[in-house]
Amino acid sequence: MTFGNVVERCRQNESELVREWREVVARSLAGRLPAALVEKELRDILDALLGALEAGGGTDPQAEPYAEVRALLVELSRDRAQQGFSPRETAVSVFGLKEAVSKVLGDTDVTGFFRVIDEFGLYTFETYTKAREEVITNQAEQLLELATPVVKLWDGVVALPLVGTLDSARAQVVMEKLLQTLVDTGSEHAIIDITGVPAVDTQVAQHLLRTVVAARLMGAECIISGIRPQIAQTIVALGIEFGDIATKASLADALMLALSRLDVDVNAEIAKRSR
Amino acid sequence: MERIPVLKIGDTLLVSIQTDLHDQMVLALQEDLADRIAATGARGVLIDISGLEIVDSFAGRMLAAIAGISKILDAETVVVGMRPAVAITLVELGLSLNGIKTALDVERGLRLLS
Protein backbone atom coordinates (compact mmCIF):
# COMPACT_ATOMS: atom_id res chain seq x y z
CA MET A 1 0.00 0.00 0.00
CA THR A 2 1.25 3.49 -0.76
CA PHE A 3 0.36 6.53 1.21
CA GLY A 4 0.82 8.98 -1.66
CA ASN A 5 2.35 12.19 -0.49
CA VAL A 6 0.70 12.02 2.94
CA VAL A 7 3.92 11.10 4.70
CA GLU A 8 5.82 13.81 2.93
CA ARG A 9 3.21 16.43 3.77
CA CYS A 10 3.12 15.27 7.39
CA ARG A 11 6.88 15.78 7.60
CA GLN A 12 6.53 19.30 6.24
CA ASN A 13 3.87 20.18 8.81
CA GLU A 14 5.25 18.07 11.63
CA SER A 15 5.35 20.69 14.36
CA GLU A 16 1.88 21.95 13.51
CA LEU A 17 0.57 18.37 13.57
CA VAL A 18 2.09 17.73 16.96
CA ARG A 19 0.52 20.91 18.29
CA GLU A 20 -2.94 20.03 16.96
CA TRP A 21 -2.59 16.45 18.20
CA ARG A 22 -1.61 17.68 21.65
CA GLU A 23 -4.65 19.96 21.70
CA VAL A 24 -6.95 16.98 21.11
CA VAL A 25 -5.21 14.79 23.66
CA ALA A 26 -5.00 17.57 26.24
CA ARG A 27 -8.76 18.07 26.01
CA SER A 28 -9.39 14.49 27.16
CA LEU A 29 -6.65 14.44 29.78
CA ALA A 30 -7.97 17.68 31.28
CA GLY A 31 -4.62 18.88 32.60
CA ARG A 32 -3.75 15.77 34.56
CA LEU A 33 -0.47 15.44 32.69
CA PRO A 34 1.91 18.37 31.98
CA ALA A 35 1.51 19.64 28.39
CA ALA A 36 5.25 19.56 27.73
CA LEU A 37 5.42 15.88 28.65
CA VAL A 38 2.47 14.99 26.43
CA GLU A 39 3.94 16.98 23.55
CA LYS A 40 7.26 15.19 23.84
CA GLU A 41 5.54 11.81 23.91
CA LEU A 42 3.49 12.62 20.85
CA ARG A 43 6.38 14.14 18.92
CA ASP A 44 8.46 11.02 19.50
CA ILE A 45 5.62 8.78 18.38
CA LEU A 46 4.88 10.83 15.26
CA ASP A 47 8.56 10.99 14.36
CA ALA A 48 8.93 7.23 14.78
CA LEU A 49 5.72 6.56 12.84
CA LEU A 50 6.68 8.76 9.89
CA GLY A 51 10.18 7.29 9.93
CA ALA A 52 8.72 3.79 9.74
CA LEU A 53 6.37 4.75 6.93
CA GLU A 54 9.28 6.26 4.99
CA ALA A 55 11.17 3.02 5.54
CA GLY A 56 8.31 1.19 3.83
CA GLY A 57 6.14 -0.03 6.71
CA GLY A 58 2.78 -1.38 5.54
CA THR A 59 -0.51 -1.60 7.43
CA ASP A 60 0.67 -4.43 9.68
CA PRO A 61 1.60 -2.93 13.07
CA GLN A 62 3.72 -5.99 13.85
CA ALA A 63 5.99 -5.32 10.84
CA GLU A 64 9.68 -4.76 11.44
CA PRO A 65 9.92 -0.99 10.67
CA TYR A 66 7.33 -0.26 13.38
CA ALA A 67 9.42 -1.68 16.27
CA GLU A 68 10.18 1.77 17.67
CA VAL A 69 6.57 2.96 17.36
CA ARG A 70 5.39 -0.14 19.20
CA ALA A 71 7.91 0.37 21.98
CA LEU A 72 6.79 4.00 22.42
CA LEU A 73 3.12 3.01 22.44
CA VAL A 74 3.72 0.22 24.97
CA GLU A 75 5.41 2.75 27.22
CA LEU A 76 2.56 5.23 26.79
CA SER A 77 -0.23 2.74 27.46
CA ARG A 78 1.55 1.26 30.48
CA ASP A 79 2.10 4.71 31.95
CA ARG A 80 -1.54 5.58 31.38
CA ALA A 81 -2.75 2.32 32.88
CA GLN A 82 -0.59 2.73 35.97
CA GLN A 83 -1.61 6.35 36.40
CA GLY A 84 -5.23 5.26 36.32
CA PHE A 85 -6.39 6.83 33.08
CA SER A 86 -9.52 5.37 31.50
CA PRO A 87 -9.39 3.28 28.29
CA ARG A 88 -11.01 6.17 26.38
CA GLU A 89 -8.39 8.66 27.51
CA THR A 90 -5.65 6.29 26.48
CA ALA A 91 -7.17 5.54 23.07
CA VAL A 92 -7.64 9.23 22.32
CA SER A 93 -3.87 9.64 22.63
CA VAL A 94 -3.54 7.70 19.38
CA PHE A 95 -6.82 8.36 17.59
CA GLY A 96 -6.39 12.10 18.18
CA LEU A 97 -3.74 12.03 15.46
CA LYS A 98 -6.50 11.45 12.88
CA GLU A 99 -8.25 14.64 13.87
CA ALA A 100 -4.99 16.55 13.74
CA VAL A 101 -4.10 15.14 10.32
CA SER A 102 -7.46 15.98 8.74
CA LYS A 103 -7.28 19.49 10.12
CA VAL A 104 -3.72 20.20 9.00
CA LEU A 105 -3.64 18.39 5.65
CA GLY A 106 -7.12 19.44 4.60
CA ASP A 107 -8.40 17.61 1.52
CA THR A 108 -5.49 15.20 0.94
CA ASP A 109 -6.53 11.53 0.61
CA VAL A 110 -5.52 10.06 3.95
CA THR A 111 -7.51 6.78 3.99
CA GLY A 112 -4.43 4.54 3.99
CA PHE A 113 -2.73 6.58 6.65
CA PHE A 114 -5.83 6.44 8.85
CA ARG A 115 -5.89 2.65 8.58
CA VAL A 116 -2.38 2.54 10.00
CA ILE A 117 -3.39 4.84 12.83
CA ASP A 118 -6.43 2.67 13.58
CA GLU A 119 -4.20 -0.39 13.77
CA PHE A 120 -1.94 1.34 16.25
CA GLY A 121 -4.92 2.58 18.22
CA LEU A 122 -6.04 -1.00 18.66
CA TYR A 123 -2.51 -2.06 19.50
CA THR A 124 -2.33 0.60 22.22
CA PHE A 125 -5.62 -0.59 23.56
CA GLU A 126 -4.45 -4.18 23.80
CA THR A 127 -1.30 -3.16 25.63
CA TYR A 128 -3.30 -0.93 27.92
CA THR A 129 -5.57 -3.85 28.87
CA LYS A 130 -2.59 -6.11 29.44
CA ALA A 131 -0.93 -3.52 31.67
CA ARG A 132 -4.18 -3.11 33.60
CA GLU A 133 -4.42 -6.85 34.14
CA GLU A 134 -0.85 -6.90 35.41
CA VAL A 135 -1.68 -4.16 37.88
CA ILE A 136 -4.68 -6.15 39.12
CA THR A 137 -2.70 -9.39 39.43
CA ASN A 138 0.03 -7.62 41.37
CA GLN A 139 -2.47 -6.06 43.71
CA ALA A 140 -4.20 -9.39 44.33
CA GLU A 141 -0.85 -10.95 45.22
CA GLN A 142 0.08 -8.08 47.49
CA LEU A 143 -3.28 -8.39 49.19
CA LEU A 144 -2.74 -12.08 49.90
CA GLU A 145 0.70 -11.36 51.30
CA LEU A 146 -0.82 -8.65 53.46
CA ALA A 147 -3.50 -11.03 54.58
CA THR A 148 -1.43 -13.40 56.66
CA PRO A 149 1.76 -12.22 58.28
CA VAL A 150 2.67 -14.30 61.31
CA VAL A 151 5.30 -12.54 63.41
CA LYS A 152 7.49 -13.95 66.14
CA LEU A 153 7.37 -11.85 69.31
CA TRP A 154 9.48 -14.03 71.56
CA ASP A 155 10.90 -17.53 71.65
CA GLY A 156 7.70 -19.55 71.76
CA VAL A 157 5.32 -16.65 71.16
CA VAL A 158 3.96 -15.78 67.72
CA ALA A 159 1.44 -13.09 66.83
CA LEU A 160 -1.05 -12.89 64.01
CA PRO A 161 -2.14 -9.29 63.43
CA LEU A 162 -5.38 -9.49 61.47
CA VAL A 163 -6.21 -6.56 59.21
CA GLY A 164 -9.40 -6.28 57.23
CA THR A 165 -12.63 -8.20 57.02
CA LEU A 166 -12.41 -11.87 57.90
CA ASP A 167 -14.50 -13.92 55.48
CA SER A 168 -14.61 -17.70 55.39
CA ALA A 169 -11.98 -18.09 52.66
CA ARG A 170 -9.54 -15.78 54.39
CA ALA A 171 -10.22 -17.25 57.79
CA GLN A 172 -9.28 -20.66 56.42
CA VAL A 173 -5.99 -19.35 54.97
CA VAL A 174 -5.20 -17.49 58.17
CA MET A 175 -5.97 -20.55 60.31
CA GLU A 176 -3.77 -22.85 58.25
CA LYS A 177 -0.92 -20.34 58.19
CA LEU A 178 -1.03 -19.85 61.95
CA LEU A 179 -1.18 -23.57 62.75
CA GLN A 180 1.66 -24.31 60.34
CA THR A 181 3.77 -21.58 61.94
CA LEU A 182 3.11 -23.08 65.37
CA VAL A 183 4.50 -26.41 64.12
CA ASP A 184 7.43 -24.85 62.25
CA THR A 185 8.58 -22.63 65.10
CA GLY A 186 7.53 -24.92 67.94
CA SER A 187 5.68 -22.04 69.60
CA GLU A 188 3.27 -22.80 72.41
CA HIS A 189 1.64 -19.40 72.52
CA ALA A 190 -0.13 -17.53 69.76
CA ILE A 191 -1.64 -14.06 69.97
CA ILE A 192 -4.40 -13.25 67.51
CA ASP A 193 -4.66 -9.47 67.32
CA ILE A 194 -7.92 -8.17 65.86
CA THR A 195 -7.22 -4.44 66.13
CA GLY A 196 -7.46 -4.18 62.34
CA VAL A 197 -10.69 -6.13 62.01
CA PRO A 198 -13.41 -3.54 61.41
CA ALA A 199 -16.30 -5.56 62.81
CA VAL A 200 -16.80 -8.79 64.69
CA ASP A 201 -20.03 -10.63 64.00
CA THR A 202 -21.02 -14.17 64.93
CA GLN A 203 -19.32 -15.55 61.84
CA VAL A 204 -15.97 -13.88 62.53
CA ALA A 205 -16.19 -15.00 66.15
CA GLN A 206 -16.88 -18.54 64.95
CA HIS A 207 -13.73 -18.48 62.80
CA LEU A 208 -11.67 -17.19 65.71
CA LEU A 209 -13.01 -19.84 68.07
CA ARG A 210 -12.30 -22.62 65.61
CA THR A 211 -8.74 -21.41 65.17
CA VAL A 212 -8.23 -21.35 68.91
CA VAL A 213 -9.67 -24.85 69.36
CA ALA A 214 -7.53 -26.23 66.52
CA ALA A 215 -4.43 -24.66 68.07
CA ARG A 216 -5.34 -26.23 71.40
CA LEU A 217 -5.61 -29.64 69.80
CA MET A 218 -2.06 -29.18 68.62
CA GLY A 219 -0.88 -28.20 72.06
CA ALA A 220 -0.71 -24.43 71.77
CA GLU A 221 -2.65 -21.72 73.59
CA CYS A 222 -4.14 -18.70 71.87
CA ILE A 223 -4.80 -15.26 73.29
CA ILE A 224 -7.12 -12.90 71.46
CA SER A 225 -6.10 -9.26 71.74
CA GLY A 226 -6.94 -5.88 70.28
CA ILE A 227 -10.60 -5.93 71.23
CA ARG A 228 -11.83 -2.36 70.98
CA PRO A 229 -14.56 -1.10 73.32
CA GLN A 230 -17.24 -1.03 70.60
CA ILE A 231 -16.30 -4.56 69.56
CA ALA A 232 -16.54 -5.76 73.15
CA GLN A 233 -20.03 -4.28 73.29
CA THR A 234 -21.01 -5.97 70.02
CA ILE A 235 -19.67 -9.31 71.21
CA VAL A 236 -21.71 -9.15 74.40
CA ALA A 237 -24.80 -7.90 72.56
CA LEU A 238 -24.56 -10.81 70.12
CA GLY A 239 -24.19 -13.26 72.99
CA ILE A 240 -20.89 -14.67 71.73
CA GLU A 241 -19.15 -16.79 74.37
CA PHE A 242 -15.38 -16.95 74.32
CA GLY A 243 -15.42 -19.46 77.17
CA ASP A 244 -12.05 -19.92 78.83
CA ILE A 245 -10.12 -18.31 75.96
CA ALA A 246 -7.97 -15.47 77.20
CA THR A 247 -8.91 -12.08 75.73
CA LYS A 248 -7.00 -8.86 76.19
CA ALA A 249 -7.57 -5.25 75.22
CA SER A 250 -4.13 -4.70 73.74
CA LEU A 251 -1.32 -6.67 72.17
CA ALA A 252 0.98 -5.51 74.97
CA ASP A 253 -1.26 -7.08 77.61
CA ALA A 254 -1.43 -10.28 75.58
CA LEU A 255 2.35 -10.46 75.26
CA MET A 256 2.67 -9.91 79.00
CA LEU A 257 0.30 -12.80 79.66
CA ALA A 258 2.15 -15.08 77.23
CA LEU A 259 5.50 -14.21 78.82
CA SER A 260 4.17 -14.88 82.30
CA ARG A 261 2.77 -18.22 81.14
CA LEU A 262 6.18 -19.05 79.69
CA ASP A 263 7.72 -17.91 82.97
CA VAL A 264 10.15 -15.59 81.18
CA ASP A 265 12.36 -13.18 83.08
CA VAL A 266 12.63 -10.37 80.54
CA ASN A 267 15.37 -8.48 82.37
CA ALA A 268 17.52 -11.60 82.61
CA GLU A 269 17.05 -12.25 78.88
CA ILE A 270 18.06 -8.69 78.00
CA ALA A 271 21.11 -8.91 80.24
CA LYS A 272 22.05 -12.21 78.59
CA ARG A 273 21.83 -10.74 75.09
CA SER A 274 23.65 -7.48 75.75
CA ARG A 275 26.55 -9.30 77.31
CA MET B 1 -3.10 -57.91 61.84
CA GLU B 2 -0.78 -54.96 62.28
CA ARG B 3 -0.63 -53.69 65.84
CA ILE B 4 0.55 -50.38 67.16
CA PRO B 5 3.38 -50.86 69.67
CA VAL B 6 2.98 -49.53 73.21
CA LEU B 7 6.34 -48.62 74.75
CA LYS B 8 6.98 -48.12 78.45
CA ILE B 9 9.33 -45.32 79.51
CA GLY B 10 9.47 -44.99 83.26
CA ASP B 11 5.96 -44.26 84.47
CA THR B 12 4.77 -43.33 81.02
CA LEU B 13 3.40 -45.38 78.15
CA LEU B 14 4.35 -44.11 74.70
CA VAL B 15 2.18 -44.85 71.69
CA SER B 16 3.48 -43.64 68.38
CA ILE B 17 1.01 -43.82 65.53
CA GLN B 18 2.91 -43.60 62.26
CA THR B 19 0.38 -45.02 59.82
CA ASP B 20 -3.16 -44.19 58.89
CA LEU B 21 -5.59 -45.84 61.25
CA HIS B 22 -8.02 -48.61 60.35
CA ASP B 23 -10.95 -49.18 62.66
CA GLN B 24 -9.67 -52.62 63.68
CA MET B 25 -6.26 -51.21 64.63
CA VAL B 26 -7.93 -48.53 66.69
CA LEU B 27 -9.97 -51.05 68.65
CA ALA B 28 -6.92 -53.27 69.20
CA LEU B 29 -4.91 -50.27 70.43
CA GLN B 30 -7.64 -49.35 72.88
CA GLU B 31 -7.59 -52.87 74.34
CA ASP B 32 -3.78 -53.15 74.44
CA LEU B 33 -3.44 -49.81 76.12
CA ALA B 34 -6.02 -50.59 78.80
CA ASP B 35 -4.22 -53.87 79.54
CA ARG B 36 -0.80 -52.24 79.69
CA ILE B 37 -1.92 -49.42 81.96
CA ALA B 38 -3.45 -51.89 84.37
CA ALA B 39 -0.41 -54.21 84.20
CA THR B 40 2.29 -51.55 84.58
CA GLY B 41 0.50 -49.04 86.74
CA ALA B 42 1.58 -46.27 84.38
CA ARG B 43 0.68 -42.73 85.42
CA GLY B 44 0.78 -41.16 81.99
CA VAL B 45 -0.03 -42.05 78.38
CA LEU B 46 1.64 -40.16 75.56
CA ILE B 47 0.09 -40.57 72.12
CA ASP B 48 2.24 -39.26 69.31
CA ILE B 49 0.16 -38.73 66.18
CA SER B 50 2.72 -36.76 64.15
CA GLY B 51 2.58 -39.47 61.47
CA LEU B 52 -1.17 -39.28 61.18
CA GLU B 53 -2.28 -37.42 58.10
CA ILE B 54 -5.93 -38.37 57.87
CA VAL B 55 -8.47 -38.70 60.67
CA ASP B 56 -12.12 -39.56 60.60
CA SER B 57 -14.72 -39.17 63.31
CA PHE B 58 -14.04 -42.75 64.47
CA ALA B 59 -10.35 -42.09 65.12
CA GLY B 60 -11.27 -38.81 66.78
CA ARG B 61 -13.69 -40.53 69.14
CA MET B 62 -11.06 -43.19 69.80
CA LEU B 63 -8.70 -40.56 71.16
CA ALA B 64 -11.43 -39.35 73.48
CA ALA B 65 -12.24 -42.94 74.52
CA ILE B 66 -8.60 -43.75 75.27
CA ALA B 67 -8.35 -40.63 77.37
CA GLY B 68 -11.49 -41.67 79.25
CA ILE B 69 -10.19 -45.20 79.88
CA SER B 70 -6.81 -43.91 81.05
CA LYS B 71 -8.46 -41.50 83.42
CA ILE B 72 -10.46 -44.28 85.08
CA LEU B 73 -7.21 -46.26 85.43
CA ASP B 74 -5.61 -43.14 86.97
CA ALA B 75 -3.31 -42.23 84.09
CA GLU B 76 -3.19 -38.90 82.28
CA THR B 77 -3.32 -38.75 78.49
CA VAL B 78 -1.36 -36.28 76.38
CA VAL B 79 -1.79 -36.16 72.61
CA VAL B 80 1.24 -34.70 70.85
CA GLY B 81 2.33 -33.75 67.34
CA MET B 82 -1.06 -33.19 65.79
CA ARG B 83 -0.74 -31.80 62.28
CA PRO B 84 -2.60 -28.60 61.36
CA ALA B 85 -4.74 -30.41 58.78
CA VAL B 86 -5.76 -33.01 61.36
CA ALA B 87 -6.57 -30.32 63.93
CA ILE B 88 -8.73 -28.44 61.42
CA THR B 89 -10.55 -31.64 60.47
CA LEU B 90 -11.29 -32.49 64.08
CA VAL B 91 -12.63 -28.99 64.72
CA GLU B 92 -14.81 -29.25 61.64
CA LEU B 93 -16.09 -32.61 62.88
CA GLY B 94 -17.00 -30.91 66.13
CA LEU B 95 -14.53 -32.97 68.17
CA SER B 96 -12.67 -30.55 70.39
CA LEU B 97 -11.33 -33.37 72.62
CA ASN B 98 -12.15 -31.56 75.84
CA GLY B 99 -10.27 -32.91 78.80
CA ILE B 100 -7.34 -34.20 76.77
CA LYS B 101 -4.02 -32.45 77.20
CA THR B 102 -2.08 -31.64 74.07
CA ALA B 103 1.48 -30.62 73.29
CA LEU B 104 3.42 -29.70 70.20
CA ASP B 105 5.94 -32.56 70.37
CA VAL B 106 6.96 -35.60 72.42
CA GLU B 107 9.50 -33.66 74.46
CA ARG B 108 7.00 -31.08 75.64
CA GLY B 109 4.45 -33.84 76.20
CA LEU B 110 6.82 -35.67 78.54
CA ARG B 111 7.49 -32.42 80.38
CA LEU B 112 3.76 -31.98 80.79
CA LEU B 113 3.44 -35.45 82.35
CA SER B 114 6.39 -35.22 84.70
Side-chain angles (χ1 to χ4, degrees):
Chain A
M1 175 172 294
T2 57
F3 302 99
N5 59 351
V6 176
V7 177
E8 204 179 304
R9 290 202 54 196
C10 283
R11 272 288 187 218
Q12 283 160 7
N13 301 299
E14 204 172 327
S15 44
E16 202 188 336
L17 262 178
V18 171
R19 204 164 44 245
E20 286 292 338
W21 192 5
R22 196 204 67 205
E23 289 284 309
V24 179
V25 176
R27 235 181 289 146
S28 77
L29 296 182
R32 274 179 291 164
L33 282 179
L37 184 77
V38 175
E39 189 167 331
K40 190 188 172 304
E41 260 179 5
L42 300 182
R43 183 178 301 121
D44 289 347
I45 292 171
L46 184 63
D47 186 44
L49 179 63
L50 293 177
L53 287 169
E54 281 159 359
T59 48
D60 178 14
Q62 299 296 339
E64 178 56 32
Y66 290 122
E68 197 191 336
V69 185
R70 285 201 304 273
L72 286 168
L73 287 177
V74 166
E75 201 180 309
L76 177 130
S77 46
R78 265 168 206 276
D79 285 353
R80 295 281 199 279
Q82 270 155 16
Q83 288 153 358
F85 286 100
S86 74
R88 168 187 285 266
E89 287 156 349
T90 310
V92 163
S93 296
V94 176
F95 290 127
L97 179 58
K98 283 162 80 172
E99 204 176 315
V101 168
S102 5
K103 202 164 172 186
V104 173
L105 299 194
D107 51 358
T108 322
D109 178 21
V110 287
T111 334
F113 189 47
F114 275 14
R115 267 194 64 187
V116 177
I117 297 175
D118 285 345
E119 286 292 338
F120 279 111
L122 293 173
Y123 180 77
T124 313
F125 207 80
E126 275 173 12
T127 340
Y128 172 86
T129 319
K130 235 182 267 170
R132 259 291 176 77
E133 275 162 15
E134 272 169 33
V135 171
I136 293 170
T137 323
N138 284 343
Q139 281 174 347
E141 275 172 19
Q142 284 168 3
L143 209 63
L144 256 181
E145 283 167 16
L146 272 181
T148 52
V150 182
V151 290
K152 179 181 161 185
L153 293 183
W154 200 273
D155 270 339
V157 184
V158 292
L160 177 76
L162 287 177
V163 177
T165 316
L166 205 60
D167 58 15
S168 296
R170 230 190 114 202
Q172 190 73 21
V173 176
V174 166
M175 188 202 251
E176 280 170 20
K177 182 89 184 277
L178 177 66
L179 297 184
Q180 193 56 51
T181 315
L182 291 177
V183 175
D184 293 345
T185 60
S187 303
E188 281 180 324
H189 294 277
I191 300 171
I192 304 176
D193 186 81
I194 58 168
T195 313
V197 179
V200 173
D201 54 14
T202 44
Q203 209 182 353
V204 172
Q206 195 65 32
H207 291 315
L208 288 175
L209 290 176
R210 279 167 36 150
T211 310
V212 174
V213 173
R216 267 194 188 160
L217 282 175
M218 291 171 51
E221 269 301 315
C222 289
I223 304 165
I224 297 175
S225 76
I227 302 175
R228 280 173 280 129
Q230 309 96 296
I231 297 224
Q233 289 182 31
T234 324
I235 289 173
V236 173
L238 288 172
I240 298 164
E241 292 280 345
F242 276 117
D244 55 348
I245 298 164
T247 51
K248 293 282 171 191
S250 72
L251 185 61
D253 292 341
L255 179 60
M256 202 98 84
L257 176 63
L259 291 179
S260 71
R261 280 180 179 171
L262 274 174
D263 210 7
V264 173
D265 183 348
V266 180
N267 284 329
E269 289 285 327
I270 293 170
K272 211 197 294 174
R273 278 183 202 206
S274 58
R275 219 185 296 144
Chain B
M1 189 191 65
E2 216 183 327
R3 274 180 179 264
I4 296 162
V6 180
L7 313 171
K8 182 173 175 294
I9 307 170
D11 271 349
T12 306
L13 292 179
L14 176 65
V15 182
S16 184
I17 299 171
Q18 296 299 334
T19 53
D20 287 331
L21 290 170
H22 306 298
D23 292 0
Q24 281 304 317
M25 277 163 86
V26 171
L27 292 172
L29 173 65
Q30 206 168 302
E31 252 174 63
D32 285 356
L33 204 55
D35 290 348
R36 287 294 296 272
I37 297 171
T40 60
R43 305 301 308 271
V45 177
L46 197 71
I47 306 176
D48 172 27
I49 57 168
S50 57
L52 197 64
E53 286 181 36
I54 299 164
V55 282
D56 51 15
S57 53
F58 190 81
R61 274 206 306 279
M62 170 279 281
L63 288 174
I66 288 178
I69 294 167
S70 313
K71 187 136 184 62
I72 290 175
L73 295 171
D74 197 24
E76 202 174 8
T77 309
V78 180
V79 174
V80 302
M82 190 184 292
R83 292 180 180 224
V86 172
I88 293 172
T89 311
L90 287 180
V91 173
E92 269 159 16
L93 289 171
L95 294 164
S96 52
L97 303 186
N98 285 326
I100 298 188
K101 288 195 174 173
T102 51
L104 285 175
D105 50 38
V106 176
E107 199 184 339
R108 288 168 215 249
L110 283 172
R111 216 183 298 152
L112 209 59
L113 283 174
S114 62

